[in-house]
Short mmCIF file of all heavy atoms in Angstrom, two decimals:
data_model
loop_
_atom_site.label_atom_id
_atom_site.label_comp_id
_atom_site.label_asym_id
_atom_site.label_seq_id
_atom_site.Cartn_x
_atom_site.Cartn_y
_atom_site.Cartn_z
N PRO A 1 -16.72 11.54 -2.23
CA PRO A 1 -18.19 11.56 -2.19
C PRO A 1 -18.75 10.15 -2.03
O PRO A 1 -18.10 9.16 -2.41
CB PRO A 1 -18.57 12.16 -3.55
CG PRO A 1 -17.41 11.85 -4.44
CD PRO A 1 -16.20 11.93 -3.57
N ASP A 2 -19.94 10.08 -1.49
CA ASP A 2 -20.59 8.78 -1.28
C ASP A 2 -21.34 8.40 -2.56
O ASP A 2 -22.57 8.28 -2.58
CB ASP A 2 -21.55 8.87 -0.09
CG ASP A 2 -22.15 7.51 0.26
OD1 ASP A 2 -21.53 6.48 -0.10
OD2 ASP A 2 -23.23 7.48 0.87
N ALA A 3 -20.58 8.22 -3.64
CA ALA A 3 -21.16 7.89 -4.94
C ALA A 3 -21.40 6.40 -5.06
O ALA A 3 -20.83 5.60 -4.31
CB ALA A 3 -20.23 8.37 -6.05
N TYR A 4 -22.23 6.01 -6.02
CA TYR A 4 -22.48 4.59 -6.26
C TYR A 4 -21.21 3.89 -6.69
O TYR A 4 -20.93 2.75 -6.28
CB TYR A 4 -23.56 4.43 -7.33
CG TYR A 4 -23.96 3.00 -7.56
CD1 TYR A 4 -24.95 2.40 -6.80
CD2 TYR A 4 -23.32 2.23 -8.54
CE1 TYR A 4 -25.30 1.07 -6.99
CE2 TYR A 4 -23.68 0.90 -8.75
CZ TYR A 4 -24.65 0.33 -7.97
OH TYR A 4 -25.00 -0.98 -8.15
N ALA A 5 -20.41 4.57 -7.51
CA ALA A 5 -19.13 4.02 -7.96
C ALA A 5 -18.18 5.17 -8.26
O ALA A 5 -18.62 6.24 -8.71
CB ALA A 5 -19.32 3.16 -9.20
N ILE A 6 -16.90 4.95 -7.99
CA ILE A 6 -15.88 5.95 -8.32
C ILE A 6 -14.81 5.25 -9.15
O ILE A 6 -14.06 4.40 -8.65
CB ILE A 6 -15.25 6.56 -7.05
CG1 ILE A 6 -16.31 7.30 -6.23
CG2 ILE A 6 -14.11 7.52 -7.44
CD1 ILE A 6 -15.79 7.91 -4.94
N VAL A 7 -14.75 5.62 -10.42
CA VAL A 7 -13.77 5.05 -11.35
C VAL A 7 -12.66 6.09 -11.52
O VAL A 7 -12.86 7.13 -12.14
CB VAL A 7 -14.42 4.70 -12.70
CG1 VAL A 7 -13.38 4.07 -13.64
CG2 VAL A 7 -15.61 3.77 -12.50
N HIS A 8 -11.49 5.77 -10.98
CA HIS A 8 -10.39 6.74 -10.94
C HIS A 8 -9.07 5.98 -10.92
O HIS A 8 -8.90 5.05 -10.12
CB HIS A 8 -10.52 7.60 -9.68
CG HIS A 8 -9.67 8.83 -9.67
ND1 HIS A 8 -8.29 8.79 -9.73
CD2 HIS A 8 -9.99 10.16 -9.61
CE1 HIS A 8 -7.82 10.01 -9.70
NE2 HIS A 8 -8.83 10.86 -9.63
N PRO A 9 -8.11 6.34 -11.80
CA PRO A 9 -6.86 5.58 -11.87
C PRO A 9 -5.99 5.67 -10.62
O PRO A 9 -5.11 4.82 -10.42
CB PRO A 9 -6.13 6.19 -13.08
CG PRO A 9 -6.75 7.54 -13.26
CD PRO A 9 -8.17 7.41 -12.83
N GLU A 10 -6.22 6.66 -9.77
CA GLU A 10 -5.40 6.81 -8.57
C GLU A 10 -6.10 6.32 -7.30
O GLU A 10 -5.56 6.47 -6.20
CB GLU A 10 -5.00 8.28 -8.39
CG GLU A 10 -4.07 8.82 -9.49
CD GLU A 10 -3.67 10.25 -9.24
OE1 GLU A 10 -3.76 10.71 -8.07
OE2 GLU A 10 -3.27 10.93 -10.20
N HIS A 11 -7.27 5.77 -7.44
CA HIS A 11 -8.01 5.33 -6.26
C HIS A 11 -7.22 4.26 -5.51
O HIS A 11 -6.73 3.29 -6.11
CB HIS A 11 -9.38 4.79 -6.67
CG HIS A 11 -10.36 4.72 -5.55
ND1 HIS A 11 -10.23 3.85 -4.49
CD2 HIS A 11 -11.50 5.43 -5.32
CE1 HIS A 11 -11.24 4.02 -3.66
NE2 HIS A 11 -12.03 4.97 -4.13
N SER A 12 -7.11 4.43 -4.20
CA SER A 12 -6.31 3.51 -3.38
C SER A 12 -6.94 2.13 -3.27
O SER A 12 -6.28 1.17 -2.87
CB SER A 12 -6.12 4.10 -1.98
OG SER A 12 -7.37 4.31 -1.34
N GLY A 13 -8.21 2.03 -3.64
CA GLY A 13 -8.89 0.75 -3.56
C GLY A 13 -8.53 -0.22 -4.66
O GLY A 13 -8.98 -1.36 -4.66
N ALA A 14 -7.75 0.25 -5.63
CA ALA A 14 -7.31 -0.61 -6.73
C ALA A 14 -5.94 -0.12 -7.19
O ALA A 14 -5.68 1.08 -7.22
CB ALA A 14 -8.30 -0.58 -7.88
N ASP A 15 -5.09 -1.04 -7.54
CA ASP A 15 -3.74 -0.66 -7.96
C ASP A 15 -3.66 -0.64 -9.48
O ASP A 15 -3.07 -1.53 -10.10
CB ASP A 15 -2.71 -1.64 -7.38
CG ASP A 15 -1.28 -1.19 -7.63
OD1 ASP A 15 -1.08 0.01 -7.91
OD2 ASP A 15 -0.36 -2.03 -7.55
N TYR A 16 -4.27 0.38 -10.09
CA TYR A 16 -4.24 0.46 -11.55
C TYR A 16 -2.82 0.78 -12.01
O TYR A 16 -2.17 1.68 -11.46
CB TYR A 16 -5.22 1.53 -12.03
CG TYR A 16 -5.44 1.47 -13.53
CD1 TYR A 16 -6.14 0.42 -14.11
CD2 TYR A 16 -4.92 2.45 -14.37
CE1 TYR A 16 -6.33 0.34 -15.47
CE2 TYR A 16 -5.11 2.39 -15.74
CZ TYR A 16 -5.81 1.33 -16.28
OH TYR A 16 -5.99 1.25 -17.65
N PRO A 17 -2.31 0.08 -13.03
CA PRO A 17 -0.90 0.21 -13.41
C PRO A 17 -0.49 1.59 -13.93
O PRO A 17 0.68 1.94 -13.83
CB PRO A 17 -0.74 -0.84 -14.52
CG PRO A 17 -1.85 -1.81 -14.31
CD PRO A 17 -2.98 -0.99 -13.78
N PHE A 18 -1.41 2.36 -14.49
CA PHE A 18 -1.06 3.67 -15.05
C PHE A 18 -1.93 4.73 -14.40
O PHE A 18 -3.16 4.70 -14.52
CB PHE A 18 -1.25 3.68 -16.57
CG PHE A 18 -0.77 4.94 -17.23
CD1 PHE A 18 0.59 5.22 -17.33
CD2 PHE A 18 -1.68 5.86 -17.75
CE1 PHE A 18 1.03 6.39 -17.93
CE2 PHE A 18 -1.24 7.04 -18.35
CZ PHE A 18 0.12 7.29 -18.44
N LYS A 19 -1.31 5.68 -13.71
CA LYS A 19 -2.04 6.64 -12.89
C LYS A 19 -2.37 7.95 -13.61
O LYS A 19 -3.03 8.81 -13.03
CB LYS A 19 -1.22 6.99 -11.64
CG LYS A 19 -0.66 5.80 -10.88
CD LYS A 19 -1.72 4.92 -10.29
CE LYS A 19 -1.11 3.80 -9.45
NZ LYS A 19 -2.13 2.85 -8.96
N HIS A 20 -1.92 8.14 -14.84
CA HIS A 20 -1.93 9.48 -15.44
C HIS A 20 -2.92 9.66 -16.59
O HIS A 20 -2.73 10.52 -17.45
CB HIS A 20 -0.52 9.84 -15.91
CG HIS A 20 0.53 9.63 -14.88
ND1 HIS A 20 0.56 10.35 -13.69
CD2 HIS A 20 1.57 8.77 -14.82
CE1 HIS A 20 1.59 9.94 -12.97
NE2 HIS A 20 2.21 8.99 -13.62
N LEU A 21 -3.96 8.85 -16.64
CA LEU A 21 -4.99 9.02 -17.66
C LEU A 21 -5.66 10.38 -17.54
O LEU A 21 -5.84 10.91 -16.45
CB LEU A 21 -6.05 7.93 -17.53
CG LEU A 21 -5.65 6.49 -17.89
CD1 LEU A 21 -6.77 5.55 -17.47
CD2 LEU A 21 -5.35 6.36 -19.37
N ALA A 22 -6.02 10.96 -18.68
CA ALA A 22 -6.86 12.15 -18.67
C ALA A 22 -8.30 11.71 -18.42
O ALA A 22 -8.61 10.51 -18.41
CB ALA A 22 -6.74 12.88 -20.00
N GLY A 23 -9.19 12.66 -18.26
CA GLY A 23 -10.59 12.31 -18.06
C GLY A 23 -11.14 11.51 -19.22
O GLY A 23 -11.91 10.56 -19.04
N CYS A 24 -10.73 11.89 -20.45
CA CYS A 24 -11.21 11.16 -21.63
C CYS A 24 -10.62 9.76 -21.67
O CYS A 24 -11.26 8.85 -22.23
CB CYS A 24 -10.85 11.94 -22.90
SG CYS A 24 -9.09 12.21 -23.13
N GLY A 25 -9.44 9.56 -21.09
CA GLY A 25 -8.86 8.23 -21.01
C GLY A 25 -9.68 7.33 -20.10
O GLY A 25 -9.92 6.16 -20.41
N VAL A 26 -10.14 7.88 -18.99
CA VAL A 26 -10.99 7.12 -18.06
C VAL A 26 -12.34 6.83 -18.72
O VAL A 26 -12.88 5.72 -18.62
CB VAL A 26 -11.20 7.89 -16.74
CG1 VAL A 26 -12.07 7.09 -15.78
CG2 VAL A 26 -9.85 8.21 -16.09
N ALA A 27 -12.87 7.83 -19.43
CA ALA A 27 -14.13 7.64 -20.15
C ALA A 27 -13.98 6.55 -21.21
O ALA A 27 -14.89 5.72 -21.41
CB ALA A 27 -14.56 8.96 -20.80
N PHE A 28 -12.85 6.54 -21.88
CA PHE A 28 -12.58 5.52 -22.91
C PHE A 28 -12.51 4.13 -22.28
O PHE A 28 -12.98 3.16 -22.86
CB PHE A 28 -11.26 5.85 -23.61
CG PHE A 28 -10.89 4.85 -24.68
CD1 PHE A 28 -11.53 4.84 -25.90
CD2 PHE A 28 -9.88 3.92 -24.45
CE1 PHE A 28 -11.19 3.92 -26.89
CE2 PHE A 28 -9.54 2.99 -25.42
CZ PHE A 28 -10.20 2.99 -26.65
N LYS A 29 -11.93 4.04 -21.10
CA LYS A 29 -11.87 2.77 -20.40
C LYS A 29 -13.28 2.28 -20.06
O LYS A 29 -13.58 1.08 -20.16
CB LYS A 29 -11.03 2.90 -19.13
CG LYS A 29 -9.54 3.07 -19.38
CD LYS A 29 -8.97 1.79 -19.94
CE LYS A 29 -7.49 1.89 -20.18
NZ LYS A 29 -6.92 0.61 -20.64
N LEU A 30 -14.14 3.19 -19.65
CA LEU A 30 -15.53 2.82 -19.36
C LEU A 30 -16.22 2.34 -20.63
O LEU A 30 -16.92 1.32 -20.62
CB LEU A 30 -16.28 4.02 -18.77
CG LEU A 30 -17.78 3.81 -18.49
CD1 LEU A 30 -17.99 2.69 -17.48
CD2 LEU A 30 -18.43 5.11 -18.00
N ALA A 31 -16.00 3.05 -21.73
CA ALA A 31 -16.60 2.64 -23.01
C ALA A 31 -16.10 1.27 -23.44
O ALA A 31 -16.87 0.43 -23.93
CB ALA A 31 -16.27 3.69 -24.09
N THR A 32 -14.81 1.02 -23.25
CA THR A 32 -14.22 -0.27 -23.60
C THR A 32 -14.85 -1.39 -22.78
O THR A 32 -15.18 -2.47 -23.30
CB THR A 32 -12.70 -0.25 -23.38
OG1 THR A 32 -12.12 0.75 -24.22
CG2 THR A 32 -12.07 -1.60 -23.70
N ALA A 33 -15.03 -1.15 -21.48
CA ALA A 33 -15.64 -2.16 -20.61
C ALA A 33 -17.09 -2.41 -20.99
O ALA A 33 -17.54 -3.56 -21.05
CB ALA A 33 -15.53 -1.72 -19.15
N LEU A 34 -17.82 -1.35 -21.27
CA LEU A 34 -19.23 -1.49 -21.62
C LEU A 34 -19.43 -2.25 -22.93
O LEU A 34 -20.33 -3.08 -23.06
CB LEU A 34 -19.89 -0.10 -21.73
CG LEU A 34 -20.22 0.61 -20.42
CD1 LEU A 34 -20.57 2.06 -20.69
CD2 LEU A 34 -21.37 -0.09 -19.70
N LEU A 35 -18.56 -1.95 -23.92
CA LEU A 35 -18.72 -2.53 -25.24
C LEU A 35 -17.84 -3.76 -25.45
O LEU A 35 -17.83 -4.36 -26.53
CB LEU A 35 -18.44 -1.48 -26.30
CG LEU A 35 -19.43 -0.30 -26.28
CD1 LEU A 35 -18.95 0.83 -27.18
CD2 LEU A 35 -20.82 -0.76 -26.70
N GLU A 36 -17.07 -4.10 -24.42
CA GLU A 36 -16.30 -5.35 -24.37
C GLU A 36 -15.19 -5.45 -25.41
O GLU A 36 -14.75 -6.55 -25.73
CB GLU A 36 -17.25 -6.55 -24.47
CG GLU A 36 -18.28 -6.58 -23.35
CD GLU A 36 -19.21 -7.78 -23.43
OE1 GLU A 36 -19.32 -8.37 -24.53
OE2 GLU A 36 -19.82 -8.12 -22.41
N GLU A 37 -14.73 -4.32 -25.94
CA GLU A 37 -13.58 -4.32 -26.82
C GLU A 37 -13.06 -2.89 -26.98
O GLU A 37 -13.80 -1.93 -26.72
CB GLU A 37 -13.92 -4.90 -28.20
CG GLU A 37 -14.96 -4.13 -28.97
CD GLU A 37 -15.25 -4.77 -30.33
OE1 GLU A 37 -14.51 -5.71 -30.70
OE2 GLU A 37 -16.19 -4.34 -30.99
N VAL A 38 -11.81 -2.77 -27.37
CA VAL A 38 -11.20 -1.45 -27.56
C VAL A 38 -11.93 -0.72 -28.68
O VAL A 38 -12.03 -1.23 -29.80
CB VAL A 38 -9.70 -1.57 -27.89
CG1 VAL A 38 -9.11 -0.21 -28.21
CG2 VAL A 38 -8.96 -2.20 -26.72
#
């Protein structure tokens, strides 16, 4: 889709080291980035 941003562990535009996150894992990564800590 022509979204503003696509955050996905398998996206070919970035070589993320771990491809098997669940949706909540991706959401957690977004939360970590937003709040600047785990």
Side-chain angles (χ1 to χ4, degrees):
D2 186 22
Y4 184 87
I6 298 178
V7 182
H8 194 299
E10 294 182 20
H11 198 292
S12 60
D15 188 19
Y16 191 70
F18 186 71
K19 312 295 184 186
H20 310 296
L21 290 170
C24 60
V26 181
F28 179 76
K29 289 291 181 176
L30 176 61
T32 299
L34 283 168
L35 296 170
E36 301 181 340
E37 63 180 351
V38 174

